[in-house]
Amino acid sequence: MRPIMRPIQATISQSALQHNLAVVKKHAPHAKIMAVVKANGYGHGLLNVAQGLNTADGFAVLGLNEAIVLREAGFKQTILLLEGVFDAQELSTAASFGVDIVVHSAPQIDMLELAQLAKPINIHFKMNTGMNRLGFTPSEYLTAFHRLKACKNVNTITLMTHFATADEAPGIAVPLALFEQTMKDLNQPEPLSISLANSATILRHPQAHADWVRPGIMLYGASPVSGTPAAEFGLKPVMTFTSEIISMQTIQAGESVGYGNRFAAVKPTRVGVVACGYADGYPRHAGQYFADGNQRQTPIAVNGTLTQTLGRVSMDMLFADLTDIPQANIGSPVELWGPHVSVDTVAEAAGTVGYELLCAVAARVPMKVQA
Ligand SMILES: *Cc1c(COP(=O)(O)O)cnc(C)c1O
Protein backbone atom coordinates (compact mmCIF):
# COMPACT_ATOMS: atom_id res chain seq x y z
CA MET A 1 0.00 0.00 0.00
CA ARG A 2 1.28 3.46 -0.90
CA PRO A 3 1.96 5.51 2.22
CA ILE A 4 -0.22 8.59 2.44
CA MET A 5 2.00 11.63 2.24
CA ARG A 6 1.73 15.33 1.69
CA PRO A 7 2.69 16.06 -1.90
CA ILE A 8 5.76 18.14 -0.93
CA GLN A 9 9.18 16.95 -2.15
CA ALA A 10 12.76 18.05 -2.83
CA THR A 11 14.35 16.42 -5.87
CA ILE A 12 18.14 16.42 -6.09
CA SER A 13 19.67 16.27 -9.56
CA GLN A 14 22.96 14.40 -9.80
CA SER A 15 23.53 15.60 -13.37
CA ALA A 16 23.19 19.23 -12.22
CA LEU A 17 25.82 18.57 -9.52
CA GLN A 18 28.15 17.11 -12.14
CA HIS A 19 27.49 20.02 -14.47
CA ASN A 20 28.28 22.59 -11.76
CA LEU A 21 31.44 20.71 -10.78
CA ALA A 22 32.50 20.94 -14.44
CA VAL A 23 31.89 24.72 -14.27
CA VAL A 24 34.31 24.88 -11.31
CA LYS A 25 36.87 22.87 -13.31
CA LYS A 26 36.48 25.13 -16.32
CA HIS A 27 37.20 28.21 -14.17
CA ALA A 28 40.04 26.67 -12.14
CA PRO A 29 41.49 23.95 -14.38
CA HIS A 30 44.77 23.65 -12.44
CA ALA A 31 43.38 23.52 -8.92
CA LYS A 32 42.26 20.53 -6.91
CA ILE A 33 38.60 20.79 -5.89
CA MET A 34 37.53 20.54 -2.27
CA ALA A 35 33.73 20.31 -2.58
CA VAL A 36 32.18 21.99 0.47
CA VAL A 37 29.37 19.71 1.67
CA LYS A 38 28.86 21.11 5.18
CA ALA A 39 25.37 21.62 6.62
CA ASN A 40 24.12 18.34 5.18
CA GLY A 41 25.36 19.25 1.72
CA TYR A 42 23.80 22.75 1.95
CA GLY A 43 20.51 21.02 2.77
CA HIS A 44 20.61 18.58 -0.17
CA GLY A 45 21.63 15.49 1.85
CA LEU A 46 25.31 14.73 2.54
CA LEU A 47 25.49 11.43 0.68
CA ASN A 48 23.21 12.61 -2.14
CA VAL A 49 25.69 15.34 -2.99
CA ALA A 50 28.86 13.36 -2.28
CA GLN A 51 27.68 10.73 -4.78
CA GLY A 52 26.99 13.38 -7.42
CA LEU A 53 30.36 15.00 -6.76
CA ASN A 54 32.40 11.82 -6.39
CA THR A 55 35.02 13.01 -8.90
CA ALA A 56 35.96 15.94 -6.61
CA ASP A 57 39.43 15.72 -5.03
CA GLY A 58 38.11 16.29 -1.53
CA PHE A 59 35.13 17.09 0.65
CA ALA A 60 34.95 19.74 3.36
CA VAL A 61 32.56 19.28 6.28
CA LEU A 62 32.14 20.73 9.74
CA GLY A 63 31.61 17.78 12.04
CA LEU A 64 33.72 14.67 12.53
CA ASN A 65 30.47 12.65 12.38
CA GLU A 66 29.94 13.85 8.79
CA ALA A 67 33.53 12.94 7.90
CA ILE A 68 33.01 9.43 9.28
CA VAL A 69 29.75 9.02 7.34
CA LEU A 70 31.70 9.81 4.15
CA ARG A 71 34.59 7.46 5.01
CA GLU A 72 32.19 4.65 5.92
CA ALA A 73 30.33 5.18 2.64
CA GLY A 74 33.65 4.43 0.91
CA PHE A 75 34.85 7.90 -0.13
CA LYS A 76 38.65 7.74 -0.31
CA GLN A 77 39.49 11.34 -1.19
CA THR A 78 40.68 14.08 1.17
CA ILE A 79 38.12 14.99 3.83
CA LEU A 80 38.64 18.25 5.71
CA LEU A 81 37.12 19.47 8.98
CA LEU A 82 36.60 23.20 8.37
CA GLU A 83 36.79 24.20 12.04
CA GLY A 84 39.23 21.47 12.98
CA VAL A 85 38.71 19.40 16.11
CA PHE A 86 37.16 20.50 19.40
CA ASP A 87 38.97 18.11 21.78
CA ALA A 88 41.77 15.54 22.03
CA GLN A 89 39.43 12.58 21.53
CA GLU A 90 38.22 14.05 18.22
CA LEU A 91 41.81 14.61 17.16
CA SER A 92 42.75 10.98 17.62
CA THR A 93 39.55 9.80 15.87
CA ALA A 94 40.18 12.17 12.94
CA ALA A 95 43.73 10.84 12.60
CA SER A 96 42.58 7.23 12.66
CA PHE A 97 40.02 7.90 9.87
CA GLY A 98 42.61 9.79 7.81
CA VAL A 99 40.66 13.03 8.04
CA ASP A 100 42.48 16.37 7.53
CA ILE A 101 41.90 19.26 9.93
CA VAL A 102 41.93 23.02 9.87
CA VAL A 103 44.13 24.48 12.59
CA HIS A 104 42.96 27.99 13.45
CA SER A 105 43.81 28.49 17.14
CA ALA A 106 46.67 28.03 19.61
CA PRO A 107 44.74 25.50 21.77
CA GLN A 108 44.44 23.27 18.69
CA ILE A 109 48.25 23.31 18.36
CA ASP A 110 48.57 22.46 22.08
CA MET A 111 46.34 19.44 21.41
CA LEU A 112 48.50 18.35 18.47
CA GLU A 113 51.69 18.62 20.53
CA LEU A 114 50.27 16.50 23.36
CA ALA A 115 48.57 13.83 21.26
CA GLN A 116 49.62 10.24 20.56
CA LEU A 117 48.15 9.68 17.10
CA ALA A 118 47.81 6.51 15.03
CA LYS A 119 49.49 8.43 12.19
CA PRO A 120 50.47 12.06 11.52
CA ILE A 121 47.63 14.26 10.30
CA ASN A 122 47.38 16.73 7.39
CA ILE A 123 46.84 20.34 8.46
CA HIS A 124 45.12 23.23 6.69
CA PHE A 125 46.65 26.11 8.58
CA LYS A 126 44.33 29.10 8.68
CA MET A 127 45.36 32.73 8.50
CA ASN A 128 43.02 35.55 9.55
CA THR A 129 43.46 38.12 6.78
CA GLY A 130 40.74 40.49 8.00
CA MET A 131 37.50 38.55 8.30
CA ASN A 132 38.26 38.20 12.02
CA ARG A 133 36.37 34.96 12.41
CA LEU A 134 38.89 32.10 12.59
CA GLY A 135 42.64 31.91 12.15
CA PHE A 136 45.97 33.31 13.26
CA THR A 137 46.74 36.96 12.50
CA PRO A 138 49.73 37.51 10.22
CA SER A 139 51.85 38.46 13.26
CA GLU A 140 50.98 35.18 15.05
CA TYR A 141 51.26 33.04 11.94
CA LEU A 142 55.04 32.58 11.83
CA THR A 143 55.37 31.30 15.42
CA ALA A 144 52.41 28.98 14.99
CA PHE A 145 53.85 27.69 11.70
CA HIS A 146 57.15 26.76 13.39
CA ARG A 147 55.30 24.92 16.14
CA LEU A 148 53.43 22.90 13.50
CA LYS A 149 56.62 22.22 11.52
CA ALA A 150 58.28 20.88 14.68
CA CYS A 151 55.31 18.71 15.73
CA LYS A 152 55.72 14.96 15.12
CA ASN A 153 51.93 14.54 14.69
CA VAL A 154 51.79 16.90 11.71
CA ASN A 155 52.14 15.50 8.20
CA THR A 156 51.50 18.02 5.36
CA ILE A 157 50.69 21.71 5.92
CA THR A 158 48.43 23.58 3.48
CA LEU A 159 48.22 27.35 3.99
CA MET A 160 44.71 28.74 3.86
CA THR A 161 42.60 31.83 4.34
CA HIS A 162 38.99 32.85 3.67
CA PHE A 163 37.84 36.16 2.14
CA ALA A 164 35.06 38.31 3.60
CA THR A 165 34.19 40.31 0.46
CA ALA A 166 35.04 38.10 -2.51
CA ASP A 167 31.44 38.64 -3.68
CA GLU A 168 31.39 42.42 -3.23
CA ALA A 169 33.06 45.60 -4.41
CA PRO A 170 36.08 45.64 -2.03
CA GLY A 171 37.12 42.30 -3.52
CA ILE A 172 40.15 40.42 -2.21
CA ALA A 173 43.15 42.67 -3.02
CA VAL A 174 43.95 43.72 0.56
CA PRO A 175 43.64 40.31 2.27
CA LEU A 176 45.37 38.57 -0.65
CA ALA A 177 48.38 40.92 -0.41
CA LEU A 178 48.53 40.31 3.34
CA PHE A 179 48.42 36.55 2.80
CA GLU A 180 51.17 36.68 0.18
CA GLN A 181 53.45 38.84 2.30
CA THR A 182 53.00 36.60 5.33
CA MET A 183 53.70 33.55 3.18
CA LYS A 184 56.97 35.18 2.00
CA ASP A 185 57.89 35.86 5.63
CA LEU A 186 57.66 32.11 6.33
CA ASN A 187 60.69 31.89 4.04
CA GLN A 188 60.26 28.24 3.07
CA PRO A 189 62.61 26.69 0.50
CA GLU A 190 59.84 24.56 -1.08
CA PRO A 191 56.53 26.14 -2.16
CA LEU A 192 53.70 25.15 0.18
CA SER A 193 50.24 24.09 -0.94
CA ILE A 194 47.68 26.93 -0.77
CA SER A 195 43.87 27.05 -0.42
CA LEU A 196 42.00 30.37 -0.76
CA ALA A 197 38.95 30.34 -3.00
CA ASN A 198 35.25 29.95 -2.15
CA SER A 199 32.67 30.15 -4.99
CA ALA A 200 32.75 33.93 -5.35
CA THR A 201 36.56 33.89 -5.53
CA ILE A 202 36.52 31.07 -8.11
CA LEU A 203 34.13 33.04 -10.32
CA ARG A 204 35.50 36.57 -9.84
CA HIS A 205 39.17 36.38 -8.81
CA PRO A 206 41.14 33.90 -10.91
CA GLN A 207 44.44 35.23 -9.50
CA ALA A 208 43.53 33.50 -6.22
CA HIS A 209 42.70 29.99 -7.46
CA ALA A 210 45.95 28.58 -5.99
CA ASP A 211 46.33 24.80 -5.39
CA TRP A 212 42.98 23.95 -3.84
CA VAL A 213 39.63 25.67 -4.46
CA ARG A 214 36.74 25.32 -1.99
CA PRO A 215 33.43 25.75 -3.87
CA GLY A 216 30.20 25.48 -1.93
CA ILE A 217 27.12 27.33 -3.13
CA MET A 218 28.00 27.24 -6.85
CA LEU A 219 27.99 23.43 -6.78
CA TYR A 220 24.33 23.60 -5.76
CA GLY A 221 23.49 25.97 -8.61
CA ALA A 222 22.77 29.08 -6.57
CA SER A 223 24.61 32.37 -6.93
CA PRO A 224 27.38 33.50 -4.57
CA VAL A 225 27.04 37.07 -5.87
CA SER A 226 23.83 38.89 -5.01
CA GLY A 227 22.37 40.59 -8.06
CA THR A 228 23.99 38.14 -10.50
CA PRO A 229 21.72 35.18 -11.32
CA ALA A 230 23.35 31.75 -11.08
CA ALA A 231 22.37 31.10 -14.73
CA GLU A 232 24.72 33.93 -15.79
CA PHE A 233 27.57 31.84 -14.39
CA GLY A 234 26.27 28.82 -16.33
CA LEU A 235 25.14 27.04 -13.15
CA LYS A 236 22.12 24.71 -12.92
CA PRO A 237 19.88 24.41 -9.85
CA VAL A 238 20.40 21.07 -8.09
CA MET A 239 17.32 21.15 -5.87
CA THR A 240 13.77 21.34 -7.22
CA PHE A 241 11.41 22.01 -4.33
CA THR A 242 7.85 21.10 -5.30
CA SER A 243 4.39 20.59 -3.89
CA GLU A 244 0.75 20.80 -5.03
CA ILE A 245 -2.35 22.92 -4.71
CA ILE A 246 -4.54 21.34 -2.00
CA SER A 247 -7.39 23.88 -1.86
CA MET A 248 -8.83 26.72 -3.95
CA GLN A 249 -10.63 29.86 -2.87
CA THR A 250 -12.09 32.65 -4.97
CA ILE A 251 -12.18 35.91 -3.03
CA GLN A 252 -13.81 39.22 -3.87
CA ALA A 253 -12.39 42.75 -3.71
CA GLY A 254 -11.80 43.66 -0.06
CA GLU A 255 -11.49 40.06 1.16
CA SER A 256 -8.20 38.73 2.52
CA VAL A 257 -6.26 35.49 2.89
CA GLY A 258 -4.19 34.08 5.73
CA TYR A 259 -3.03 35.22 9.16
CA GLY A 260 -3.05 38.95 9.73
CA ASN A 261 -5.03 39.58 6.50
CA ARG A 262 -1.75 40.55 4.88
CA PHE A 263 -3.16 40.35 1.38
CA ALA A 264 -6.40 42.11 0.52
CA ALA A 265 -7.84 41.57 -2.97
CA VAL A 266 -8.64 44.60 -5.12
CA LYS A 267 -10.51 42.48 -7.66
CA PRO A 268 -11.91 38.92 -7.78
CA THR A 269 -8.89 36.71 -7.15
CA ARG A 270 -8.41 32.94 -7.43
CA VAL A 271 -6.19 31.76 -4.62
CA GLY A 272 -4.49 28.37 -4.49
CA VAL A 273 -3.46 26.92 -1.15
CA VAL A 274 -0.08 25.17 -1.47
CA ALA A 275 1.07 22.32 0.81
CA CYS A 276 4.25 24.03 1.97
CA GLY A 277 4.92 26.31 4.89
CA TYR A 278 7.67 27.64 7.08
CA ALA A 279 7.89 24.30 8.92
CA ASP A 280 9.08 22.90 5.59
CA GLY A 281 11.77 25.55 5.31
CA TYR A 282 9.90 28.07 3.15
CA PRO A 283 10.75 31.56 4.49
CA ARG A 284 7.92 33.13 6.47
CA HIS A 285 9.24 36.57 5.55
CA ALA A 286 8.74 36.01 1.83
CA GLY A 287 6.49 38.60 0.30
CA GLN A 288 5.54 40.31 3.52
CA TYR A 289 4.44 43.93 3.69
CA PHE A 290 7.01 46.54 4.57
CA ALA A 291 6.64 49.89 6.31
CA ASP A 292 6.65 51.69 2.96
CA GLY A 293 3.41 49.87 2.11
CA ASN A 294 5.07 47.76 -0.56
CA GLN A 295 4.83 44.02 -0.70
CA ARG A 296 7.85 42.24 -2.13
CA GLN A 297 6.44 39.75 -4.56
CA THR A 298 7.72 36.25 -4.26
CA PRO A 299 7.76 34.19 -7.44
CA ILE A 300 6.22 30.71 -7.49
CA ALA A 301 5.30 28.50 -10.47
CA VAL A 302 1.99 26.65 -10.83
CA ASN A 303 1.53 24.21 -13.71
CA GLY A 304 4.84 25.55 -15.03
CA THR A 305 3.49 29.14 -15.17
CA LEU A 306 5.15 31.86 -13.14
CA THR A 307 2.94 33.68 -10.62
CA GLN A 308 3.37 35.07 -7.10
CA THR A 309 2.61 34.18 -3.50
CA LEU A 310 -0.09 36.08 -1.60
CA GLY A 311 -0.35 36.96 2.08
CA ARG A 312 1.60 35.50 4.94
CA VAL A 313 3.21 32.08 4.86
CA SER A 314 1.68 29.72 7.48
CA MET A 315 3.43 26.83 9.21
CA ASP A 316 2.17 24.21 6.73
CA MET A 317 0.64 26.19 3.86
CA LEU A 318 1.08 29.23 1.69
CA PHE A 319 -1.01 30.99 -0.97
CA ALA A 320 -0.45 31.36 -4.70
CA ASP A 321 -2.25 33.74 -7.06
CA LEU A 322 -4.03 31.63 -9.70
CA THR A 323 -6.09 34.44 -11.23
CA ASP A 324 -4.21 34.22 -14.52
CA ILE A 325 -3.81 30.42 -14.48
CA PRO A 326 -7.43 29.32 -15.05
CA GLN A 327 -6.48 25.68 -15.70
CA ALA A 328 -4.90 25.35 -12.23
CA ASN A 329 -6.86 23.19 -9.81
CA ILE A 330 -6.51 21.00 -6.76
CA GLY A 331 -3.59 18.70 -7.50
CA SER A 332 -1.82 21.14 -9.83
CA PRO A 333 1.98 20.95 -9.45
CA VAL A 334 3.75 23.84 -7.74
CA GLU A 335 7.43 24.73 -7.97
CA LEU A 336 8.62 26.62 -4.88
CA TRP A 337 12.13 26.86 -6.32
CA GLY A 338 14.05 25.05 -9.01
CA PRO A 339 14.52 25.56 -12.76
CA HIS A 340 11.60 28.03 -13.22
CA VAL A 341 11.94 29.90 -9.93
CA SER A 342 15.51 30.50 -8.83
CA VAL A 343 16.04 30.00 -5.10
CA ASP A 344 17.92 33.30 -5.13
CA THR A 345 14.83 35.24 -6.23
CA VAL A 346 12.77 33.69 -3.41
CA ALA A 347 15.60 34.53 -1.00
CA GLU A 348 15.72 38.10 -2.21
CA ALA A 349 11.99 38.51 -1.61
CA ALA A 350 12.57 37.26 1.94
CA GLY A 351 15.55 39.52 2.59
CA THR A 352 18.08 36.68 2.70
CA VAL A 353 20.33 34.58 0.46
CA GLY A 354 19.87 31.27 -1.33
CA TYR A 355 22.37 29.65 1.05
CA GLU A 356 20.01 30.09 4.00
CA LEU A 357 16.93 28.74 2.22
CA LEU A 358 18.71 25.64 0.89
CA CYS A 359 20.22 24.80 4.28
CA ALA A 360 16.88 25.27 6.00
CA VAL A 361 14.81 22.73 4.03
CA ALA A 362 13.22 20.77 6.86
CA ALA A 363 13.84 17.14 7.69
CA ARG A 364 10.12 16.41 7.16
CA VAL A 365 10.44 17.16 3.43
CA PRO A 366 10.99 13.86 1.59
CA MET A 367 14.05 13.94 -0.65
CA LYS A 368 14.40 12.08 -3.91
CA VAL A 369 17.59 11.69 -5.93
CA GLN A 370 17.36 11.82 -9.69
CA ALA A 371 20.03 10.99 -12.27
C1 LIG B 1 31.52 27.44 3.57
C2 LIG B 1 32.92 27.68 3.19
C3 LIG B 1 33.32 27.69 1.84
C4 LIG B 1 32.32 27.62 0.69
O1 LIG B 1 31.77 28.90 0.48
P1 LIG B 1 30.75 29.19 -0.74
O2 LIG B 1 30.50 30.65 -0.65
O3 LIG B 1 29.53 28.40 -0.44
O4 LIG B 1 31.44 28.76 -1.96
C5 LIG B 1 34.66 27.79 1.55
N1 LIG B 1 35.57 27.90 2.55
C6 LIG B 1 35.23 27.94 3.85
C7 LIG B 1 36.28 28.09 4.89
C8 LIG B 1 33.89 27.84 4.22
O5 LIG B 1 33.55 27.88 5.51
Side-chain angles (χ1 to χ4, degrees):
M1 205 174 82
R2 186 167 173 270
I4 294 162
M5 292 199 302
R6 293 169 74 219
I8 194 165
Q9 186 159 65
T11 305
I12 307 304
S13 163
Q14 303 263 318
S15 62
L17 283 164
Q18 287 153 13
H19 169 88
N20 297 334
L21 184 63
V23 173
V24 175
K25 280 205 173 103
K26 195 187 82 200
H27 281 269
H30 306 297
K32 285 187 282 183
I33 299 175
M34 180 82 76
V36 180
V37 297
K38 63 192 178 191
N40 196 29
Y42 285 48
H44 295 63
L46 177 61
L47 289 176
N48 297 342
V49 301
Q51 279 147 12
L53 301 170
N54 62 5
T55 58
D57 302 287
F59 293 112
V61 295
L62 217 62
L64 184 56
N65 54 339
E66 298 163 287
I68 293 172
V69 165
L70 290 174
R71 276 283 176 263
E72 290 185 338
F75 292 97
K76 301 276 191 282
Q77 47 270 79
T78 299
I79 298 177
L80 175 64
L81 301 182
L82 281 169
E83 293 178 2
V85 290
F86 297 90
D87 62 33
Q89 179 58 50
E90 278 205 347
L91 176 57
S92 87
T93 309
S96 66
F97 278 92
V99 169
D100 295 9
I101 56 172
V102 164
V103 170
H104 65 79
S105 71
Q108 291 179 325
I109 304 185
D110 298 341
M111 260 185 249
L112 275 164
E113 287 173 341
L114 293 170
Q116 297 291 333
L117 301 183
K119 54 190 181 221
I121 193 163
N122 295 331
I123 302 298
H124 295 240
F125 177 39
K126 192 157 192 182
M127 192 191 302
N128 169 12
T129 49
M131 187 162 178
N132 294 318
R133 193 172 64 172
L134 298 183
F136 297 86
T137 61
S139 65
E140 303 161 336
Y141 204 69
L142 188 63
T143 310
F145 179 75
H146 287 300
R147 284 181 72 189
L148 291 173
K149 280 293 265 191
C151 180
K152 66 174 191 320
N153 288 318
V154 172
N155 188 29
T156 62
I157 302 177
T158 298
L159 310 184
M160 92 183 260
T161 194
H162 191 54
F163 300 123
T165 56
D167 55 328
E168 292 177 59
I172 63 165
V174 172
L176 182 60
L178 201 56
F179 180 87
E180 284 173 345
Q181 183 56 51
T182 310
M183 202 174 58
K184 269 198 205 108
D185 295 344
L186 296 181
N187 200 16
Q188 291 301 295
E190 301 289 325
L192 289 156
S193 174
I194 294 170
S195 170
L196 307 172
N198 60 359
S199 297
T201 307
I202 292 165
L203 294 167
R204 301 182 75 219
H205 307 288
Q207 74 278 22
H209 286 165
D211 301 294
W212 279 99
V213 291
R214 305 189 305 268
I217 196 72
M218 68 182 290
L219 293 172
Y220 306 99
S223 178
V225 182
S226 75
T228 308
E232 263 179 50
F233 295 117
L235 301 168
K236 291 186 180 167
V238 171
M239 182 189 294
T240 305
F241 191 19
T242 55
S243 190
E244 288 178 8
I245 302 289
I246 59 167
S247 170
M248 307 266 296
Q249 309 285 343
T250 298
I251 61 172
Q252 303 306 317
E255 293 187 305
S256 300
V257 293
Y259 287 115
N261 292 346
R262 287 306 178 98
F263 168 77
V266 293
K267 57 174 196 217
T269 302
R270 276 177 93 227
V271 178
V273 179
V274 182
C276 176
Y278 60 78
D280 299 298
Y282 197 91
R284 182 173 176 278
H285 284 84
Q288 69 175 325
Y289 281 102
F290 289 86
D292 58 9
N294 288 325
Q295 188 189 20
R296 288 188 203 158
Q297 307 217 313
T298 310
I300 188 167
V302 179
N303 268 348
T305 302
L306 214 54
T307 178
Q308 66 193 42
T309 65
L310 298 174
R312 193 180 259 169
V313 174
S314 311
M315 184 182 286
D316 309 309
M317 287 169 270
L318 57 80
F319 304 98
D321 185 354
L322 306 181
T323 309
D324 297 327
I325 313 177
Q327 73 281 20
N329 214 324
I330 291 178
S332 290
V334 174
E335 181 183 307
L336 299 147
W337 58 70
H340 301 90
V341 180
S342 133
V343 66
D344 295 312
T345 59
V346 178
E348 199 186 329
T352 184
V353 288
Y355 293 80
E356 186 181 356
L357 300 192
L358 293 172
C359 290
V361 171
R364 81 178 193 184
V365 174
M367 231 169 240
K368 189 178 91 186
V369 179
Q370 174 187 78

